[in-house]
Amino acid sequence: MGGLLSKEPPKPEPLLPIPWREVEFRHEAYMKLQDEIKNYQPHPKASTTNILILGNVGSGKSSFLNSMFSELRREDFNGRIQSFQGVRPPAQTSVTQRFDDILETKIKMEGDQIHCVVLVLSLHNAENLDPALIQFYEGLIGMLTKTGVPCKLLVTFVDKLVEKTEDLKDLYKRRDIKQKIEKLAKEMRISMCNVIVVSNYFEELKINQIKGTLLLEAVAQMLTAAKPFQERM
Ligand SMILES: Nc1nc2c(ncn2[C@@H]2O[C@H](COP(=O)(O)OP(=O)(O)O)[C@@H](O)[C@H]2O)c(=O)[nH]1
Ligand SMILES: [Mg+2]
């Protein structure tokens, strides 16, 4: 009982000796990502790159798009990024039904080939995720894998698991974070190499290079995944 009352400082989370994803946080690396995205061109077989962003309400889809737009230097991207049209699922339907509707509506609306599907999942309260959602993701990932459409799992809210923004630099070395994500990835049958982790801007007034690097890295990964698929079309 005494343990509950004694005020021990929180133990620092154990770090892996080697990160499971190499992300370079220096300014040059950040600028390199900016240039890579700025100079990105779809494969000549495709006129645009269409990325479908899917996720349950509150997973951080809008925040990710807003964060991404804040990060990309406006002058470089004027007119190059077409805004996304949000699709609102009808209320009073099951998770699976709602997602089926989103997919169908999107495909009917645009009539365009999707070159990469991004599933957005919050790591906050990840233990209490609706099993129906996980099951739906697993089915969708299986279907995409069969048809060869690249699929990424975008994990948001990782800031909830670190004390300060600076600690995000060690995100890919945190054993506890890796374990949480591995469990989800296993349930959804998606490979860890297709997982991208970000912390969206939600209260800050200015962009910062650590979050920015993770956000740009995410965009670069999506674009990189799309291109070989465009080539095979
Ligand atoms: N701490 C934190 N909050 C986030 C993050 N992403 C989104 N949020 C917050 O979560 C709420 C829902 O996010 P939103 O982007 O609207 O989710 P959507 O329904 O998927 O579009 C908003 O209040 C955001 O500020 C994140 O990475 N970290
Ligand atoms: Mg939204």
Side-chain angles (χ1 to χ4, degrees):
M1 285 305 276
L4 283 176
L5 295 170
S6 65
K7 274 233 167 113
E8 281 174 33
K11 284 198 198 94
E13 290 294 339
L15 294 183
L16 299 163
I18 299 167
W20 56 279
R21 171 84 39 85
E22 280 298 345
V23 181
E24 180 64 72
F25 287 96
R26 281 174 310 158
H27 182 67
E28 303 86 82
Y30 172 86
M31 291 312 291
K32 207 173 149 209
L33 281 169
Q34 284 277 6
D35 284 344
E36 183 184 332
I37 297 168
K38 175 182 157 186
N39 297 323
Y40 172 86
Q41 294 288 342
H43 190 273
K45 285 186 183 172
S47 54
T48 57
T49 298
N50 299 325
I51 298 176
L52 176 66
I53 303 204
L54 271 183
N56 53 323
V57 172
S59 58
K61 301 177 295 296
S62 303
S63 303
F64 172 71
L65 292 175
N66 290 331
S67 300
M68 179 188 98
F69 284 123
S70 324
E71 207 53 59
L72 297 174
R73 290 168 305 189
R74 287 190 188 285
E75 64 274 21
D76 290 344
F77 296 97
N78 268 342
R80 285 196 57 207
I81 301 176
Q82 290 159 19
S83 65
F84 273 77
Q85 178 64 52
V87 181
R88 192 173 287 276
Q92 309 286 329
T93 46
S94 76
V95 173
T96 312
Q97 183 62 50
R98 287 205 303 267
F99 277 104
D100 284 347
D101 288 340
I102 291 176
L103 261 184
E104 270 188 32
T105 318
K106 173 74 189 175
I107 291 164
K108 275 183 203 148
M109 258 181 22
E110 305 290 339
D112 273 342
Q113 176 67 51
I114 288 160
H115 304 121
C116 180
V117 174
V118 177
L119 304 178
V120 183
L121 194 69
S122 161
L123 205 53
H124 186 46
N125 294 330
E127 296 79 13
N128 303 319
L129 271 175
D130 184 348
L133 181 73
I134 303 271
Q135 214 183 354
F136 173 70
Y137 278 176
E138 192 211 323
L140 181 60
I141 290 163
M143 182 199 89
L144 292 168
T145 307
K146 253 190 226 149
T147 48
V149 179
C151 181
K152 298 279 175 188
L153 182 66
L154 183 74
V155 175
T156 54
F157 281 78
V158 73
D159 51 280
K160 291 278 189 193
L161 301 173
V162 301
E163 240 179 87
K164 49 189 193 304
T165 301
E166 183 72 18
D167 296 342
L168 287 172
K169 282 185 176 175
D170 283 330
L171 140 76
Y172 286 106
K173 277 190 183 171
R174 280 272 297 268
R175 199 183 294 271
D176 58 330
I177 293 178
K178 185 181 181 209
Q179 280 170 352
K180 266 180 200 272
I181 295 176
E182 259 173 350
K183 184 172 175 284
L184 291 169
K186 200 173 165 200
E187 284 171 354
M188 294 180 191
R189 292 173 194 264
I190 189 164
S191 148
M192 286 294 272
C193 67
N194 288 321
V195 175
I196 325 170
V197 188
V198 294
S199 166
N200 292 324
Y201 294 121
F202 57 99
E203 58 182 11
E204 38 281 270
L205 299 171
K206 284 199 303 188
I207 59 172
N208 79 67
Q209 205 174 292
I210 301 174
K211 286 194 173 192
T213 302
L214 293 171
L215 288 160
L216 292 182
E217 177 72 25
V219 177
Q221 298 249 352
M222 293 168 197
L223 295 175
T224 304
K227 213 158 178 172
F229 178 67
Q230 292 172 330
E231 186 174 5
R232 286 195 302 271
M233 283 188 329

